[in-house]
Amino acid sequence: MKTQTTLNRFTIRLALAAVLLTSVISSCKKTDEPTAEASHKQAIDAATLSKIETLGYSTKEIKDLGAYYLVENDILLSKETLAKSKGIEKLMGLDQGISQAQTPYLISGSYQNVTISIDQSIWGNSTWYSAVVQAVVIWNSTANSNIKLNLFIKDYDPSLLADIEIRGDNGAFDIYTAAGALPPTYDGKPGNLILVNTDFRDPNTNYFIDNSQTTWNMIHEIGHTLGLRHTNWDEMDEGYAAQIPNTPNTDAYSVMNGGTAISSYSSSYPALPSVYDAAAITTLYPINTSSTVVPMISGPSTFSGERTFHMSYKSLEAGLSYHWEVTGISGTTYYYGYTGSENIFELSLSPGSYQIKCSVYGGKYSTTGIATKNVTVN
Ligand SMILES: [Zn+2]
């Protein structure tokens, strides 16, 4: 997401004014210089721009970031996915004003257990790492939402392809952009990438944004991957978006308002910033209590000494418990069981082979979610 880009826009306006002024003053000189916006667009073919606009997004300040186009400040559109989206119908018909809004494609029922991976660029940055964890808890804890976010650390499971990867932007974003995300795709999957500008600073203080701000950003970006557009899309002049039923015409508190990258999360954790953000997600994805959390356990497969294991589904929904069991396997005799409210387990074992099992139950879903992992201790 971007900061409220008054500075940025002001700079652009100044530049435009300068161009206009130049053309007025030196009218004999041929001044056909393109604006920054026009030159961005020139490099992108008309069919692609039209495709993006058909999806409802504005191409006004579109940027080419290599494999992605960046539109509306923090929405990433995959070139590969766009190329596959043939013959898109006019999906967005109605300009219904300012409201919680949805993307053209949503997540289908079979993809609502969502895996999210983070790599070293994120878990090595405590402010952004804790933001991811808190944002995951906030979305998971939302009563009546069927979205089950499962967070794991990529380094432990490098072969596992997550539904959403969160990683550093590697210099892709300008200094005004904190993060960006992909919307869900035509095949009913969540947007598969969130890029984070870990160098992003609050332009007012020039300090790196703090945890309450990174948390706000991460709730927002995950919201995009789940199919939420900017609540204030109309005010931001961002194409067309469909209003989500059960949401109001305007919502100053919505975490999905665009241009809010320096806003802070200050709600009573784990509540979403606005009750209408909760209304939006539960309207799009109403809970199916007989659906199941499909978790996994993140941690080293071989280790010695003490190690920490993370069960991927972390939530503060009412009644949720975690039952951990460690059982000796392949000739190792051992058993330990423990029930608690934590998805994290510290383990220190004698050399041998073990199976770690974590069951999550008692929360929003009636079926127990079970994750296992076999480990070798040297
Ligand atoms: Zn955004």
Side-chain angles (χ1 to χ4, degrees), residues 346-357:
E346 304 277 349
L347 206 54
S348 181
L349 295 163
S350 307
S353 298
Y354 303 87
Q355 181 177 76
I356 307 169
K357 180 177 171 184

Side-chain angles (χ1 to χ4, degrees), residues 100-291:
Q100 263 81 358
Q102 67 180 67
T103 52
Y105 302 115
L106 294 173
I107 305 172
S108 68
S110 46
Y111 295 117
Q112 291 175 13
N113 186 89
V114 178
T115 54
I116 300 180
S117 74
I118 49 173
D119 70 0
Q120 208 277 334
S121 63
I122 301 301
W123 67 255
N125 181 310
S126 59
T127 314
W128 281 99
Y129 174 51
S130 65
V132 174
V133 174
Q134 288 179 86
V136 162
V137 170
I138 287 163
W139 284 114
N140 281 344
S141 305
T142 304
N144 304 317
S145 156
N146 201 49
I147 296 294
K148 310 159 184 75
L149 302 178
N150 285 273
L151 182 64
F152 73 96
I153 297 167
K154 195 173 176 67
D155 297 36
Y156 291 133
D157 304 276
S159 61
L160 205 147
L161 199 62
D163 299 316
I164 304 171
E165 189 180 350
I166 304 179
R167 56 179 157 85
D169 74 326
N170 212 6
F173 293 141
D174 64 24
I175 59 165
Y176 300 103
T177 303
L182 269 76
T185 41
Y186 61 91
D187 47 6
K189 294 180 180 174
N192 67 5
L193 182 66
I194 295 173
L195 290 179
V196 176
N197 179 4
T198 53
D199 298 325
F200 179 75
R201 292 167 186 264
D202 183 333
N204 298 321
T205 62
N206 209 32
Y207 287 120
F208 290 117
I209 54 172
D210 64 23
N211 185 241
S212 66
Q213 293 169 306
T214 54
T215 300
W216 175 278
N217 276 280
M218 201 42 73
I219 303 168
H220 180 103
E221 298 306 336
I222 291 176
H224 280 319
T225 66
L226 301 178
L228 297 175
R229 278 189 58 174
H230 290 147
T231 301
N232 58 348
W233 62 271
D234 197 4
E235 187 185 303
M236 303 279 284
D237 195 16
E238 295 178 338
Y240 294 93
Q243 178 171 1
I244 299 172
N246 308 317
T247 64
N249 287 335
T250 62
D251 184 3
Y253 300 105
S254 174
V255 73
M256 294 313 299
N257 282 324
T260 57
I262 56 171
S263 295
S264 294
Y265 176 75
S266 57
S267 309
S268 175
Y269 184 65
L272 281 161
S274 163
V275 291
Y276 297 111
D277 292 328
I281 200 74
T282 56
T283 300
L284 294 184
Y285 308 112
I287 192 164
N288 171 5
T289 54
S290 60
S291 64

Side-chain angles (χ1 to χ4, degrees), residues 352-365:
S353 298
Y354 303 87
Q355 181 177 76
I356 307 169
K357 180 177 171 184
C358 183
S359 309
V360 62
Y361 61 95
K364 298 196 287 182
Y365 308 98

